[in-house]
Amino acid sequence: MTLLPPAAASRTVPGPKGVPVLGSLPQWKRSTAEFLLRTQRDYGEISRIRLGPQSVYLVSDPEAVDHVLRGNNGNYVRGTLYEQFKIVMGDGLLTTDGDFWKAHRRAMQPAFLRRAVAAVGPYTVDATREMLDGWEEKARRGEPVDLVTETLRLTLITLSRSLFGFDIRPATPVLKDVVDNVIEVMFKHGTLGELLPSWVPTKRNRLIARDRRVFTRLVREIREHHAATGEGPLMGLIEAASDPATGARWTDAEVRDEMLTIFLAGHETTAVALLWTLLSAAGHPSAREELEAEVDGVLAGRDPTVEDVERLTFTQQVVDESLRLYPPIWIYPRDAVEADELGGYPVPAGSSVLLSPLVSHRNPRYWQDPETFDPHRFDPDVAADRPRMTYFPFGGGARMCIGNSMALLELRIALAMITQRFRLSLVPGGFVRYGDTSISLRPMGEVLVTPRPRAERSGRGAA
Ligand code: HEM
């Protein structure tokens, strides 16, 4: 599909010149997100960035994003940048294309349909309650909590219990370290260590080998548990899945890779989203008060049910706005198989195209005062006026996040329960900035907050 008249297709794509040989690599390395935001501001919604010997196209024009994700999505594959993910996840939903991907997605999709996802609600409630009981203890002792550790633990426990039927709590301390490391590995490019084969005992390779050992052991335990109990709806689908062409059951490697994919894609993202949502609400008193009023009114001191969640509309808008400013998967690449045109510019075969919800979500053409946190941007009448693909925290088209309904349900429940019981404030001197050296928009370092119980107002009775 041509988005502009053919004459425009011969235009040179604008973009920063950078320095000889390296191009814009130094600015990219200094702060990728800031650099990409500047590039959008200075060169528009389609630009070309030179990174050493390679070039990438940064695309935020909504029509062009739609073209890549939906209109001509067959032409845009995961490509070279996703190869890095395979080191850890192997060949799973996130890293594969074509018939293999299609068959795997079809096999796993039923666990993520609306009715199935509703079952995640009670697990989220249980895990959040347990977390908040711990916060109450800490509040009594005047201790802060680290939101990074807490949210990661919460989403890992919920995911493991609801999809795999497995209580992962005893393993969470070990897993945090492992997950931190693999997320780094998956995104880091241009280091010498990357070029060496995996058998060379570099620090990086030793850590990757350790992480894979931990994951492999975990996968084995979960499968054994499922074989004994039958628990875990996704586990059931994965164990029963077969190749549509041959009828052969998935191999152990296929099962392992999909389990790792779901674990890694599913819990860290949701944890990062919850963390930014909590910080955003805590830092904006008028939004926080509106949120508290809604939660107290709808829940009247009870734990939320899935039906309650439908009525927590402002809570949803707080989550939406936080996902706009801080989309956990803030950048994702595609490679063009054949030559194409985007926004009237030629894109040669083999080009890498970068889509970035972070950049698109801060485009001043569609978002007034884009750096400001304002959940009322998602009031239904306001949101209805925005073009498609100006907002895509979960991607789009056939490759849209399989877990988006699950994530949104978890986020609303956890935010509502935390709001019901606590007001959070950053410990004095605490300053939080997003780190953009990873595929996910994690904050740099720990995020210490003081939880203050608000029992009288929420109607839950004294703490
Ligand atoms: C707030 C939380 C989440 C965010 C922001 C998020 C974001 C995304 C995005 C942007 C993509 C598309 C990437 C691309 O097209 O290159 C994606 C894909 C994916 N996500 Fe999520 N995700 C979240 C939660 C989850 C959960 C809870 C699960 C599973 C339990 C999950 C599993 C996956 C998988 C398997 C894919 C690959 C889908 C495919 O290509 O078929 N995600 N996610």
Side-chain angles (χ1 to χ4, degrees):
M1 184 178 104
T2 307
L3 302 172
L4 281 185
S10 58
R11 284 190 291 157
T12 310
V13 189
K17 261 202 159 85
V19 295
V21 184
L22 294 178
S24 297
L25 209 51
Q27 290 104 307
W28 170 283
K29 288 218 158 196
R30 208 166 302 134
S31 168
T32 313
E34 297 307 323
F35 169 63
L36 295 181
L37 282 165
R38 269 202 315 276
T39 303
Q40 172 178 254
R41 186 194 64 200
D42 297 343
Y43 300 96
E45 294 166 16
I46 308 230
S47 55
R48 180 162 173 261
I49 301 170
R50 222 161 41 76
L51 301 171
Q54 299 168 334
S55 284
V56 295
Y57 292 80
L58 175 65
V59 175
S60 64
D61 168 65
E63 255 191 74
V65 172
D66 194 54
H67 182 72
V68 172
L69 289 179
R70 291 166 10 100
N72 194 20
N73 63 341
N75 191 46
Y76 290 92
V77 295
R78 297 315 223 198
T80 42
L81 292 174
Y82 261 107
E83 284 299 307
Q84 197 76 355
F85 286 28
K86 292 196 176 190
I87 301 172
V88 179
M89 294 182 173
D91 293 320
L93 276 191
L94 203 61
T95 53
T96 54
D97 284 293
D99 290 344
F100 181 93
W101 165 78
K102 203 180 282 174
H104 279 225
R105 175 106 187 193
R106 198 167 285 158
M108 293 161 70
Q109 189 75 51
F112 296 95
L113 297 177
R114 207 180 153 80
R115 265 186 52 198
V117 164
V120 175
Y123 293 114
T124 313
V125 169
D126 287 349
T128 309
R129 194 189 309 110
E130 188 180 297
M131 176 179 84
L132 298 185
D133 289 346
W135 289 12
E136 226 154 64
E137 279 294 306
K138 290 206 166 187
R140 261 197 285 276
R141 294 199 300 266
E143 286 175 18
V145 297
D146 171 24
L147 276 188
V148 177
T149 308
E150 296 288 302
T151 54
L152 278 171
R153 188 167 186 277
L154 172 70
T155 54
L156 185 62
I157 291 171
T158 306
L159 181 147
S160 183
R161 198 69 190 85
S162 59
L163 297 180
F164 295 111
F166 187 76
D167 181 0
I168 205 161
R169 281 176 297 183
T172 50
V174 180
L175 283 175
K176 173 154 190 310
D177 196 27
V178 168
V179 169
D180 284 353
N181 184 52
V182 297
I183 292 208
E184 279 266 299
V185 165
M186 288 194 290
F187 196 68
K188 256 205 177 130
H189 290 282
T191 58
L192 191 62
E194 229 175 83
L195 304 173
L196 299 169
S198 60
W199 51 263
V200 179
T202 58
K203 184 171 174 230
R204 176 178 185 272
N205 284 343
R206 280 202 311 271
L207 278 176
I208 295 174
R210 176 207 64 177
D211 298 343
R212 285 195 66 91
R213 271 197 309 277
V214 172
F215 283 140
T216 307
R217 210 167 42 234
L218 179 67
V219 161
R220 197 175 53 236
E221 271 182 53
I222 295 177
R223 294 187 73 181
E224 283 167 9
H225 179 76
H226 176 77
T229 64
E231 287 175 14
L234 181 61
M235 205 57 241
L237 292 173
I238 288 179
E239 292 290 8
S242 56
D243 181 326
T246 63
R249 281 282 169 86
W250 283 3
T251 62
D252 285 344
E254 281 175 284
V255 170
R256 179 200 60 210
D257 290 353
E258 289 302 4
M259 289 174 68
L260 290 185
T261 297
I262 293 295
F263 264 116
L264 288 172
H267 92 278
E268 212 260 353
T269 42
T270 315
V272 170
L274 179 59
L275 186 144
W276 288 118
T277 307
L278 293 171
L279 288 181
S280 302
H284 295 86
S286 73
R288 186 195 58 206
E289 278 164 23
E290 204 172 336
L291 182 63
E292 287 173 353
E294 178 177 90
V295 166
D296 294 350
V298 171
L299 301 183
R302 290 179 291 107
D303 285 339
T305 62
V306 173
E307 292 71 39
D308 290 327
V309 169
E310 298 299 321
R311 294 160 57 215
L312 292 170
T313 51
F314 187 69
T315 309
Q316 174 65 58
Q317 288 178 222
V318 172
V319 170
D320 291 341
E321 174 65 345
S322 175
L323 287 171
R324 180 186 72 81
L325 272 174
Y326 306 105
I329 302 291
W330 68 279
I331 186 168
Y332 39 96
R334 294 286 191 272
D335 281 3
V337 179
E338 287 175 17
D340 196 10
E341 285 175 33
L342 289 174
Y345 293 112
V347 173
S351 303
S352 287
V353 171
L354 283 185
L355 307 179
S356 168
L358 182 120
V359 173
S360 292
H361 294 178
R362 294 177 188 226
N363 184 345
R365 190 142 80 95
Y366 302 103
W367 304 94
Q368 201 183 3
D369 217 353
E371 305 292 328
T372 305
F373 178 81
D374 176 11
H376 287 291
R377 295 176 197 278
F378 289 90
D379 287 350
D381 50 332
V382 182
D385 285 344
R386 264 187 306 268
R388 187 202 279 281
M389 294 304 173
T390 45
Y391 181 70
F392 52 101
F394 292 101
R399 302 302 297 256
M400 180 145 175
C401 175
I402 200 171
N404 74 336
S405 315
M406 172 171 165
L408 289 175
L409 179 66
E410 280 183 79
L411 288 168
R412 277 174 295 179
I413 290 179
L415 176 60
M417 289 180 73
I418 296 167
T419 303
Q420 193 179 38
R421 286 177 65 175
F422 292 97
R423 270 193 180 176
L424 306 182
S425 47
L426 273 178
V427 297
F431 171 73
V432 184
R433 218 196 104 52
Y434 57 72
D436 51 8
T437 54
S438 147
I439 177 72
S440 79
L441 203 69
R442 307 184 99 187
M444 319 262 255
E446 43 180 28
V447 175
L448 295 179
V449 296
T450 311
R452 296 206 170 78
R454 53 180 295 273
E456 321 77 55
R457 257 171 305 165
S458 67
R460 288 184 67 91

